[in-house]
Amino acid sequence: MHNLKITFRRLIKDKAFSFINIFGLVIGISSFLVLFIHVTNEKSFDKHFNAHKNIFRVTSVPEGRSNANWARSLGIIYEVSSKIPEVEMATQFSNCETGNIKIEENSFQQKNIMAVDEAFCKMFEVESLLGNLKEINKPNTVFVSEDFARLHFGNLNPIGQIIKIEALQYVRNVGDYEIRGIIKITHPKTHFKYELLLSQKGGLQERFESLPGRKIQWTYNYFKLQNGVSPELVAEKIKDFWDKSSTKQTRGPKEYDFSLFPIDDIHLKSDYRFELRESSSKINISLFVIVSVVILMVSLLNFTNLNIAKLIKRSKELGLKKSIGANQTQIIRQVLTEVSIFCLLAIGFSLLLIQGAESFINQLFDIEFKIFYNEPVIYWSILAIIGICLLVTTLFVSVFLLGRNSTIDILAKQNNFSGSYVLKTLLIGQVTIVIILITGTFLVNKQIDFILNQPLGFDKENVVVLYIKDLSKDAAVFHKELEKQSHVVSVGMTAQHFGYPSQGFPLDGLGLDGTAEFVFANYDYLKTMNIKLIKNWIKTEAEVVNGMVVNKHLYKRLMEKHGNMDALRAYQEAQPLEPDQSRINFIGVTEDFNYSSAHESIGDFAFYLGEGGNRARFTHVRINDLHAGMDAIKRVWNDYYPNQEIDYFFIDERIAQQYKAETILSRILFVFSAIGILISIIGISALALFISQQRTKEIGVRKVNGASVKEILTVLNSSFVWWVSISFILATPISYLLLNRWLQNFAYKTTLSWWIFALAGIITLIITLITVSWQSWKAATKNPVEALRYE
Amino acid sequence: MIQLKNIDKYYDAKFQRTFVLKGINLEIEQSEFVSIMGPSGAGKSTLLNIIGFLDEPNEGEYLFLGKPANKLKEKQKVQYHRSHIGFIFQAFHLIEEMTVYENIETPLVYRGVKSKERKAMVAEMLDKFNIVAKKDLFPSQLSGGQQQLVGIARAIVGSPKLLLADEPTGNLHSEQGEMIMKLLKKLNDDGMTIVQVTHSEQNAQYGNRIVRLMDGYINEENTN
């Protein structure tokens, strides 16, 4: 109590110091809390399910496709689950991100529709607010979320109302579904989200029942295993059943790799295609952890540094207290009370700051950051921060001030800053971290620039992609109409646009191992995207271009195997043909390019050109004027597809989105190196102030003896230059190693140029010099008489 | 009360040893008022600090109240500081953030005196030195003489047996200095042992014995 009052007085008396000290700490603690809380949130995904440790998602990857796993899997998995005793519960469900539904006369798009069974409700603890979840087993029933009910029915009881399901992802006119209950909204930290839960019986029954016999991966399969059962064992058992099944022998890939993926890991680690909810695998959660700890460390170093400097200044007072009978414990207690008050104030301000900046943070980093005050982790982390602050300061105070110096040394002011190794070490540590952060920022930016400017193999600018849902109308007519517009350069179509999971075909028919990815497209698509053919066997007189265009990668492999195209054709001819199959007709070779992203290396790839099928789903339009072109497209759309909302995106934006993780990473690094620099500026300037104050007498003497301001500045600044140099020497190899490791994540990497390091060092030096000179200048221009009298 | 036998205090530089005190023999009885005099650098303050356990001699024997005090543990030193010895400094060394009242109270807080008793003891001091009206002021609001009064009050509030004063009037003008010296004299008359370091012959006359130091040796002793 006694200490408390005095501390507050001191805090108010030395406002500048208190402000600097608390401000530095607030920035550090806020950054740490934001990152730490975010990481904790991310890590707690799906952990609210009681049995989360025993729940796994079963995946089935066809041979040769292990670089592109799907979250969906074969229907046979669900069928065999009942024959594996280790499986306590199994569920399979389908998910539709956006479907079309109709309530009375009102037709609209609806997100997050899932077709589930009773096991799903049990496994994922679906809570019903109204109605009995058992009714999900009855044909054509639907359960709606409380949000959905409120939005569409207000306060009326929706039970018994009819929802007409017009279209799900792959099926149309599923039928009328009767609302049988209201469910609680999905827990915010779950890797999926449901608005409507449909019964698998009734409209979808035939589709679900046919799944075990087909090699399509349409549903998601989850197992809840018995305690202690090894997931590998279960995967093996599935494989055994598969090997015995008749489905295996049907056309398509023969070998599948079955595995069980723990749901605990889905949110953080999944990079599966068709993931139910965007996962955080690419945001690199461990980087968040590292950065947050680093920032907290920088600010703690700074805090300790300032406090020690201040204590040295006050050592006289501490010595005095010893002379009037204070023992070590009492002095340490006093110092700790002060530190605790600083910490508590800083934490309080930090929480306010975070709360206020929440939406800004979310926007800047594109994360869903939220403080759940009801979770104990918040309080633990706050306690941990106070604990660390206290521990570090106690250590330094007891070792540094009280242990080493006898009382009279303290009273006689025999401590000085420039002689203190602790202060030097702390400062150097802090500056080293800042240099590492700056180099990191430079490199990440360089790498992102490099990737975004990679030759893609096609021209990404000025291409609009229209999503055509109504394939019942002939899209060719629509395309003709579009081509007539003066601002439209060309129109092509594909069933799978850039970045959209493409399809696979086994290469055994061509004498090669593995599976190639391919997309359905038409010849005009290649023209629209400016994809250059390096070999072109297309017969120009043909009305419709039919056949396969492969990429250089696959072409090379084929040539290595067969030598030339004729040999390849002869090999093809020798293969038996199923009744509904036709020979692949090779018509061209393209340059290699990435259809997905630069994270993945280039593999076997092909375009299956033709005009029919659902190729029109993604109509690509190249325009020569953004506004006029879009206006024209919208006009034609509204004429041809009246009452249908136009759904479109630009291909270059979609590509940029693929590097969202890197863009956010660069933002994070930029913001936090800026914060690191800011904290260090605070620390360095306070230290420079203390040093110049302590050397006031020396400066006065030098001036009396004729030193110029410039010479005094040199004297004061030279030690800081020296410290930055040491930090630079320390930081360079560390950051080189770290950044080199990070670059390994990319198939295409930029170079770690020397200038990145040099520039980071120079920037740090300049900032330090400016900061120090500011204080030194004030000391150097002081009247020497005043300076001497002061002593 | 204090017996110093052959006390040496030195600092080692690279190739030579500099003696601050050399072969000091000094005995101080209860209720004496001793003035240590000498030119700058003679070792006066060092001697005072050794007597007050703020510094340790390198050689020699020091008996405090008949007990050897050479190798006292930190804990025992703290005990002596709390109950036997009070300090007065030339630069007052008051704690800037504390009021007059709190400054006087601090040693009692460290000794663990109960709040009620503390109140009474501090009130007595304030009364004795006529500074009741100033009790809520901060040191910076007082004149030098008043600050030193507070310094003395703080030194004697725990009724120590020994009062050590390092040039108590060095920062004061003569009138205030005289007041302080008279006060010390009065404390001595009441039975307190006082050792002061001073430059001023006039101030030295308040004591009953003068010890003159020269380059680390005791040069002469005379009694008033």
Side-chain angles (χ1 to χ4, degrees), chain A residues 313-345:
Chain A
K313 245 186 117 182
R314 283 174 45 202
S315 52
K316 217 168 69 180
E317 176 203 321
L318 297 180
L320 172 81
K321 286 188 171 160
K322 275 183 95 173
S323 80
I324 57 175
N327 62 21
Q328 200 123 328
T329 332
Q330 283 164 325
I331 289 185
I332 291 181
R333 201 186 301 150
Q334 182 207 338
V335 172
L336 290 190
T337 315
E338 292 178 25
V339 176
S340 317
I341 288 172
F342 274 118
C343 286
L344 279 176
L345 280 176

Side-chain angles (χ1 to χ4, degrees), chain B residues 152-174:
Chain B
I152 297 173
R154 181 180 63 188
I156 65 168
V157 68
S159 33
K161 298 195 167 53
L162 175 65
L163 184 61
L164 299 174
D166 192 349
E167 301 204 35
T169 61
N171 278 13
L172 301 176
H173 59 77
S174 53

Side-chain angles (χ1 to χ4, degrees), chain A residues 78-94:
Chain A
Y78 181 69
E79 194 193 45
V80 302
S81 66
S82 55
K83 297 175 203 157
I84 303 175
E86 287 87 352
V87 178
E88 198 176 301
M89 197 192 287
T91 178
Q92 85 173 331
F93 58 88
S94 68

Side-chain angles (χ1 to χ4, degrees), chain A residues 58-70:
Chain A
V58 190
T59 57
S60 49
V61 180
E63 55 173 337
R65 291 288 302 278
S66 54
N67 63 337
N69 293 352
W70 283 22

